[in-house]
């Protein structure tokens, strides 16, 4: 038959059915009234005494029958689970990206682990910080940081200046107004550094993760399609338990 390796669908149905059957069997054997029966007949003390009909109650649940029903239900669950677990031990496939075998002969259980981890890694990579597109960046070999070209700016200082509003005359002094003007006193040379990544690099990483995700998914589907043998474990287990 085709493998249902690591498939929750084929396994969950017998599991839920068995759970229902076990619950029902448990409830039945826990009700003493269902396991009890009685038969009573009445005989008067003498021939003239009152005649009463016999009374009887049938046994509705037999412990051995409950065991057989539980064994029948659990046998299916045991067999399906064994088939799944045996298949997971033997079903394997290569993870191949662009004709390159990244990981060879990978078991299904590990492929499922990889799928989960790559989902988390995809989220992490997509949120990596990127360099400010408004700046021009180059890699500084001395620090291994990204840096911008130097930008030179003038440093100024407010210096008081006099503005003569009216020249002095013989009768009046000059009218002078004081104001402050910016006077260059030096220069700042600024270089920005960053540990963020170029957008191109982040996009490249995202693409690689997505390619690997697709390869792992394909490998799992390929492994699940392998031929497997149905396992018969339930009969052996319950043949020992309830014989």
């Amino acid at each position: 038959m085709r493998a249902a390796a690591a498939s929750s669908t084929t396994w969950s149905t017998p599991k839920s059915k068995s759970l229902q059957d076990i619950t029902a069997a448990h409830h039945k054997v826990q009700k003493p009234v269902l396991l009890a029966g009685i038969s009573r007949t009445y005989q008067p003390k003498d021939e003239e005494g009152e005649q009463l009909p016999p009374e009887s109650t049938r046994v509705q649940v037999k412990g051995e029958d409950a065991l057989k029903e539980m064994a029948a239900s659990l046998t299916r669950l045991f067999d399906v689970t064994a088939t799944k677990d045996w298949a997971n031990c033997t079903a394997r496939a290569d993870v191949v990206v662009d004709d390159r075998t990244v990981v060879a002969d990978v078991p299904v259980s590990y492929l499922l682990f990889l799928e989960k981890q790559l989902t988390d890694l995809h989220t992490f990579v997509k949120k990596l910080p990127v360099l400010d597109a408004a700046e021009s960046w180059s890699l500084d070999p001395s620090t291994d940081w990204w840096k911008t070209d130097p930008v030179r700016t003038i440093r100024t200082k407010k210096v008081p200046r006099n503005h003569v509003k009216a020249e002095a005359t013989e009768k009046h002094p000059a009218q002078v107004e004081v104001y402050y003007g910016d006077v260059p006193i030096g220069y700042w040379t600024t270089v920005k550094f960053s540990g963020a990544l170029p957008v191109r690099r982040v996009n490249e990483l995202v693409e690689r993760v997505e390619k690997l995700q697709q390869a792992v998914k394909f490998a799992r589907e390929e492994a699940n399609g392998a031929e497997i043998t149905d396992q018969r474990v339930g009969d052996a287990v319950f043949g020992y338990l309830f014989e």
Side-chain angles (χ1 to χ4, degrees):
M1 65 172 286
R2 287 289 173 183
S7 171
S8 61
T9 304
T10 55
W11 182 69
S12 61
T13 301
K15 182 183 179 183
S16 58
K17 176 69 166 57
S18 295
L19 181 60
Q20 293 173 2
D21 293 344
I22 292 169
T23 302
H26 177 75
H27 287 166
K28 284 196 294 186
V29 297
Q30 293 302 312
K31 294 180 179 179
V33 67
L34 299 179
L35 288 88
I38 193 172
S39 175
R40 298 200 304 171
T41 58
Y42 181 76
Q43 181 179 359
K45 188 175 181 181
D46 52 49
E47 294 182 0
E48 296 180 357
E50 183 181 6
Q51 298 290 331
L52 296 177
E55 297 178 356
S56 65
T57 302
R58 294 176 59 85
V59 172
Q60 299 179 57
V61 174
K62 290 173 59 180
E64 287 295 337
D65 289 345
L67 290 175
K68 290 177 182 178
E69 291 173 6
M70 181 178 290
S73 177
L74 284 177
T75 293
R76 173 61 179 158
L77 175 63
F78 280 32
D79 290 348
V80 170
T81 304
T83 299
K84 176 180 72 73
D85 289 345
W86 259 256
N88 284 346
C89 291
T90 58
R92 296 168 178 265
D94 296 342
V95 177
V96 181
V97 180
D98 295 335
D99 297 325
R100 172 185 171 184
T101 300
V102 179
V103 191
D105 203 27
V106 188
V108 170
S109 56
Y110 195 76
L111 290 170
L112 287 168
F113 166 79
L114 274 181
E115 281 193 80
K116 172 64 172 65
Q117 296 303 311
L118 288 173
T119 298
D120 296 340
L121 189 58
H122 185 266
T123 301
F124 173 78
V125 171
K126 287 199 73 171
K127 292 183 177 180
L128 284 170
V130 296
L131 296 171
D132 186 356
E135 303 282 357
S136 178
W137 299 92
S138 60
L139 193 60
D140 181 10
S142 63
T143 61
D144 204 27
W145 301 335
W146 291 94
K147 69 175 184 178
T148 62
D149 294 332
V151 175
R152 194 180 190 195
T153 55
I154 298 174
R155 180 174 180 244
T156 60
K157 182 179 180 181
K158 297 289 187 181
V159 176
R161 295 176 181 272
N162 294 327
H163 171 62
V164 180
K165 298 177 66 175
E167 296 292 341
T169 65
E170 292 180 359
K171 295 182 178 181
H172 301 285
Q175 295 183 25
V176 179
E177 182 181 68
V178 179
Y179 70 95
Y180 288 84
D182 291 325
V183 176
I185 60 171
Y187 300 93
W188 280 110
T189 300
T190 303
V191 177
K192 295 181 181 178
F193 294 93
S194 177
L197 295 168
V199 174
R200 181 186 69 257
R201 174 62 172 160
V202 172
N203 290 339
E204 188 179 275
L205 292 172
V206 170
E207 182 181 0
R208 281 177 172 268
V209 173
E210 290 175 349
K211 278 188 175 182
L212 189 56
Q213 283 180 302
Q214 291 300 315
V216 169
K217 182 179 179 181
F218 179 81
R220 178 172 57 82
E221 291 172 350
E222 184 180 44
N224 282 340
E227 295 289 340
I228 64 169
T229 303
D230 278 335
Q231 301 297 323
R232 294 287 183 261
V233 175
D235 288 341
V237 171
F238 292 103
Y240 164 75
L241 288 174
F242 297 156
E243 70 174 352

